[in-house]
Amino acid sequence: MIEYDPHHSWRFLCLCSGSSIPPALAWALPCTVISILLKIVFKYLDVDAPEISDMDKTVWNIFCGTLGFLLVFRSGHAYSRFWDGAALLMTVRGDWVNSLSSILAFST
C-alpha cells in the first residue's frame, strides 16, 4: 500500500511507485522531442506539407471514429464496474452494521 503524507498531498504526482505519470512520460517525451525536431528540420529545409487527399481524410475519419467508440465503450464499462463495486461495498457495510447491531441488541 502506498503511504501518503497529508501535509504534502501534491508530492504524490512525483512518486515512481504506483504512479502512471512516469510510464506516460516515457512514451510522451520521446514523441514530443521527435516531432519538434522534425518541425525544425522541415522549417529549415523549407519543405512544404504534403497535400491531404480525400482518401487520407476518409481513413483518418474512420480511425478517429473507431478510436472514439472504443474509448467511450471502455470508459462506460469501467464506470459501470466502479459503481457495481461501490454498491457491493455498501451492501457489505450494511451487513456489518446489521450484524453489529444484532450483536449489541442480543448481548445486553
Side-chain angles (χ1 to χ4, degrees):
M1 185 165 165
I2 300 173
E3 297 292 329
Y4 294 107
D5 185 12
H7 301 292
H8 302 287
S9 60
W10 57 271
R11 288 188 184 175
F12 74 93
L13 292 175
C14 300
L15 292 176
C16 289
S17 174
S19 177
S20 62
I21 292 177
L25 287 176
W27 283 95
L29 287 179
C31 294
T32 304
V33 169
I34 290 171
S35 64
I36 289 172
L37 289 175
L38 284 175
K39 181 69 173 176
I40 291 170
V41 167
F42 285 162
K43 189 171 185 174
Y44 177 73
L45 295 176
D46 198 25
V47 176
D48 292 331
E51 293 295 324
I52 298 174
S53 67
D54 288 337
M55 183 63 180
D56 292 338
K57 289 179 185 176
T58 304
V59 171
W60 182 252
N61 286 337
I62 291 171
F63 173 73
C64 288
T66 305
L67 184 64
F69 173 75
L70 289 175
L71 286 174
V72 167
F73 178 76
R74 287 179 58 94
S75 297
H77 191 66
Y79 186 74
S80 68
R81 287 182 67 187
F82 168 79
W83 282 113
D84 288 343
L88 288 173
L89 281 175
M90 288 298 142
T91 303
V92 169
R93 180 178 175 254
D95 290 344
W96 277 104
V97 168
N98 190 14
S99 300
L100 183 63
S101 65
S102 296
I103 288 171
L104 290 176
F106 294 118
S107 66
T108 56

